[in-house]
Amino acid sequence: MLQATNVSLRYGDKKLFEDVNIKFTPGNCYGLIGANGAGKSTFLKILAGEIEPQSGHVSLGKDERLAVLKQDHFAFEAYPVIETVILGHSRLYQVMKEKDEIYAKAEFTEEDGMRAAELEGEFAELNGWEAEADAAILLKGLGISEELHDKKMADLTGSDKVKVLLAQALFGSPDILLLDEPTNHLDIQAIQWLEEFLINFENTVIVVSHDRHFLNKVCTHIADVDFGKIELYVGNYDFWYESSQLALQMAQDQNKKKEEKIKELQNFIARFSANASKSRQATSRKKMLENITLDDIKPSSRRYPYVAFTPDREIGNDLLRVEGLTKTVDGVKVLDNVSFTLNRNDKVAFVGRNEVAKTTLFEILVGEMEPDQGTYSWGVTTSQSYFPKDNSKFFEHSDLTLVEWLRQYSPEDQTETFLRGFLGRMLFSGEEALKKAKVLSGGEKVRCMLSKMMLSSANVLVLDEPTNHLDLESITSVNNGLIKFKGAVLFTSHDHQFINSIANRLIEITPKGLFDKEMSYDEYVTDKPLQEEIAKAYQ
């Protein structure tokens, strides 16, 4: 059990936490959520003992072990992969090293023998004989092939290093597991494996993630950082979101009878209780959900940007025809004879491992890059708006205020009143609208680029990783805006729920051709014969 008691932390005039009291118990997975800057990662560091709170304390159960997902991907460069994983259990690693040093001595004393016997006993208690096999199982599950297990960490790619550090955190069944954005840089198969691992994990997990599908799959509780406090809610992220919206609706509409709201809440809880049936904690979770009352649900202080794409003309049947596109980048052929046709109602997610291929295709289609071979043609009724993965060129040399920056992209109305109103809906209110464009954070730049797209009134949207740098609230708004959009969409994303809720078609560019499927993302990733065929295309 892990418990925070009266924990408070300030940075200058900014209050992150005040008198936080929260208990994390075994058998549960807690999703720690909050707006950007609310202090989620900071609170994880307080729990891990890396930051001291200004008041209060954190207590861990007697003899319990806490493991943390390391964020420094280059901290173990000199270590072999297997050894790096076992380092996740520091006491076991110390025992192994001391034992090996004793046995390596040229002269073995009686004292050495007694110490070796003590260490052998502790080694067995800590499951040391299975350590390498257990580490190998974790690595294999995350997609690190056996031939890499004895290599040095310095020899691995960046994404493989991330997987090894994740295996390190999971190793040895820690009593408390702290994970900050564990799905970053993971492929579909690794994320699915991690979801199953955490669903079946019997101890305590506390996780920060912007992946809503992941939070919905693994979480039994949501710990919401809001108003300098941390409130605990039973259920997954969707349950928290829907219930907080219901609470906000109730707070804004005082005229409706409370009994009607109670009935609405009961129906709502019944629906989510049924969804809990897939989890191993289903029975206890269902009972907890059924005991929720109106007073347990509080409106959130979260602010959601207003994202709505409205095309200025209806799209025709002839949208886009791509024939034989081929392109080599830095000596590597990333597109090889790519052909497809975009249909009227298509919302296409480009998925798969080759990030460069997807970005290159988009840059060709919006006219920012020329293909080596092949052609593409947009229909005469179409107008396109592009969200690039790298938006730095729009901001880095700009001395314009946000109002002035946005005025460049507002063809119809360039008045201060209109632009400030528009920026306000995108969470740049008051003095924030006068900030210089070049000093914006990553998330703020994304909201500006989305504003630019909305003002274009295009009927075809091309978006390359639009959810990068966004908090959960902004991701939800963009997600809903694209679902409602009455036009065609081509996009990439690593957000499972984002893809699954928007796309009606999936295209994966592999070294051996396109996989072009009209199906949901859930169907795509769970179709084993299809995934086996795709895996072969990368070999």
Side-chain angles (χ1 to χ4, degrees):
M1 183 189 76
L2 183 65
Q3 186 167 353
T5 306
N6 297 324
V7 166
S8 298
L9 184 69
R10 283 178 175 270
Y11 286 125
D13 295 333
K14 185 175 182 181
K15 176 183 72 177
L16 278 183
F17 311 111
E18 187 168 37
D19 295 329
V20 169
N21 291 280
I22 190 167
K23 185 188 294 184
F24 302 100
T25 56
N28 291 313
C29 179
Y30 300 85
L32 188 63
I33 66 169
N36 281 351
K40 301 181 293 294
S41 295
T42 302
F43 189 68
L44 278 191
K45 289 178 181 176
I46 290 173
L47 294 178
E50 296 172 16
I51 293 177
E52 283 290 324
Q54 282 152 345
S55 65
H57 64 276
V58 173
S59 55
L60 191 63
K62 190 175 184 295
D63 298 325
E64 288 191 333
R65 187 170 70 86
L66 182 145
V68 181
L69 174 59
K70 301 287 195 301
Q71 300 298 318
D72 183 355
H73 301 163
F74 304 99
F76 303 93
E77 295 289 82
Y79 291 89
V81 168
I82 280 281
E83 197 170 318
T84 302
V85 176
I86 297 172
L87 269 162
H89 194 323
S90 59
R91 181 55 193 161
L92 173 59
Y93 184 76
Q94 289 166 8
V95 169
M96 289 174 64
K97 285 300 172 186
E98 187 178 350
K99 192 162 64 80
D100 290 346
E101 286 170 8
I102 290 173
Y103 290 140
K105 286 184 176 181
E107 296 182 11
F108 194 76
T109 66
E110 185 178 342
E111 187 180 339
D112 288 333
M114 291 175 63
R115 180 58 180 158
E118 289 175 11
L119 291 169
E120 289 291 3
E122 188 176 0
F123 185 70
E125 284 178 14
L126 295 173
N127 238 19
W129 296 111
E130 287 81 38
E132 289 199 9
D134 290 346
I137 289 169
L138 291 172
L139 289 167
K140 185 179 178 182
L142 288 165
I144 302 295
S145 58
E146 198 170 331
E147 60 265 24
L148 296 177
H149 292 188
D150 294 320
K151 287 189 177 294
K152 289 284 198 326
M153 286 288 284
D155 298 329
L156 268 58
T157 64
S159 59
D160 282 346
K161 286 177 184 176
V162 170
K163 292 177 180 180
V164 176
L165 292 182
L166 183 53
Q168 181 191 76
L170 303 179
F171 176 75
S173 191
D175 300 287
I176 313 290
L177 184 55
L178 305 182
L179 302 174
D180 194 351
E181 298 290 357
T183 61
N184 279 4
H185 310 293
L186 294 189
D187 51 45
I188 298 165
Q189 291 75 22
I191 291 173
Q192 289 176 325
W193 181 90
L194 179 61
E195 287 170 352
E196 288 304 311
F197 182 94
L198 295 179
I199 286 169
N200 294 299
F201 189 69
E202 295 182 354
N203 298 329
T204 305
V205 183
I206 305 167
V207 59
V208 171
S209 178
H210 284 88
D211 187 330
R212 296 163 299 163
H213 179 268
F214 180 75
L215 292 175
N216 283 329
K217 286 277 283 188
V218 305
C219 289
T220 60
H221 296 73
I222 293 295
D224 180 29
V225 183
D226 206 0
F227 301 110
K229 303 287 186 183
I230 301 181
E231 294 281 350
L232 206 55
Y233 298 92
V234 178
N236 59 17
Y237 177 77
D238 274 354
F239 184 85
W240 170 84
Y241 173 73
E242 295 292 346
S243 60
S244 68
Q245 293 299 298
L246 177 60
L248 185 62
Q249 179 188 336
M250 289 189 292
Q252 292 172 343
D253 189 357
Q254 298 293 334
N255 297 325
K256 291 204 172 182
K257 293 180 181 178
K258 190 172 183 179
E259 289 77 11
E260 290 178 13
K261 291 300 175 187
I262 290 172
K263 187 175 180 182
E264 186 176 349
L265 179 63
Q266 287 170 339
N267 292 336
F268 176 64
I269 288 169
R271 193 168 77 248
F272 271 86
S273 295
N275 290 345
S277 61
K278 295 179 183 177
S279 169
R280 64 184 175 81
Q281 302 95 344
T283 304
S284 60
R285 187 159 145 196
K286 186 172 181 179
K287 285 179 182 175
M288 287 188 286
L289 284 170
E290 288 170 347
N291 289 329
I292 291 175
T293 67
L294 274 176
D295 295 331
D296 295 325
I297 298 176
K298 298 179 178 64
S300 170
S301 69
R302 298 292 201 291
R303 297 167 65 211
Y304 292 81
Y306 175 77
V307 179
F309 303 97
T310 307
D312 60 0
R313 65 184 296 187
E314 189 175 346
I315 205 164
N317 291 322
D318 182 21
L319 267 72
L320 172 66
R321 189 177 301 277
V322 176
E323 295 180 354
L325 284 187
T326 300
K327 183 68 179 180
T328 297
V329 178
D330 296 329
V332 178
K333 186 178 282 189
V334 294
L335 299 177
D336 187 8
N337 197 31
V338 170
S339 300
F340 64 90
T341 300
L342 188 66
N343 303 313
R344 181 188 177 99
N345 296 314
D346 277 347
K347 292 184 177 179
V348 187
F350 287 79
V351 298
R353 307 176 192 179
N354 196 333
E355 305 292 324
V356 177
K358 291 179 280 188
T359 296
T360 300
L361 174 64
F362 282 6
E363 289 182 348
I364 290 172
L365 295 181
V366 298
E368 293 193 359
M369 184 184 290
E370 289 294 323
D372 296 334
Q373 294 175 25
T375 61
Y376 68 93
S377 59
W378 289 101
V380 293
T381 64
T382 66
S383 55
Q384 304 85 41
S385 186
Y386 177 46
F387 181 101
K389 185 183 293 185
D390 180 5
N391 58 39
S392 57
K393 70 179 182 181
F394 291 91
F395 300 97
E396 58 190 358
H397 301 302
S398 177
D399 280 321
L400 301 176
T401 66
L402 291 194
V403 171
E404 294 165 340
W405 185 91
L406 194 61
R407 185 174 281 124
Q408 304 171 97
Y409 307 108
S410 180
E412 300 297 326
D413 193 336
Q414 299 198 339
T415 64
E416 184 104 356
T417 302
F418 170 77
L419 294 169
R420 276 182 168 272
F422 200 96
L423 287 166
R425 292 196 296 274
M426 293 301 286
L427 309 186
F428 297 106
S429 55
E431 292 301 307
E432 288 186 327
L434 300 178
K435 287 168 70 171
K436 295 287 187 181
K438 64 183 178 184
V439 303
L440 298 179
S441 68
E444 289 172 332
K445 289 176 182 176
V446 170
R447 281 188 271 130
C448 283
M449 293 300 293
L450 292 168
S451 299
K452 172 179 175 291
M453 294 186 80
M454 285 188 272
L455 287 171
S456 74
S457 301
N459 54 23
V460 179
L461 305 179
V462 182
L463 305 106
D464 197 356
E465 297 288 354
T467 59
N468 285 358
H469 307 294
L470 291 183
D471 56 20
L472 284 164
E473 292 71 50
S474 297
I475 291 171
T476 300
S477 296
V478 178
N479 200 156
N480 293 339
L482 290 175
I483 290 171
K484 294 173 184 173
F485 176 59
K486 305 296 185 187
V489 183
L490 293 82
F491 71 101
T492 68
S493 176
H494 287 95
D495 186 311
H496 185 115
Q497 188 167 331
F498 192 82
I499 300 172
N500 194 57
S501 59
I502 296 169
N504 59 6
R505 180 178 171 189
L506 301 149
I507 294 179
E508 183 159 354
I509 304 169
T510 76
K512 296 179 182 175
L514 290 190
F515 285 83
D516 189 345
K517 302 292 179 181
E518 291 190 12
M519 57 171 60
S520 74
Y521 192 53
D522 276 344
E523 292 170 331
Y524 188 79
V525 298
T526 56
D527 187 329
K528 288 187 177 179
L530 173 61
Q531 288 302 318
E532 287 171 1
E533 190 181 350
I534 291 171
K536 288 177 184 175
Y538 285 101
Q539 292 171 357

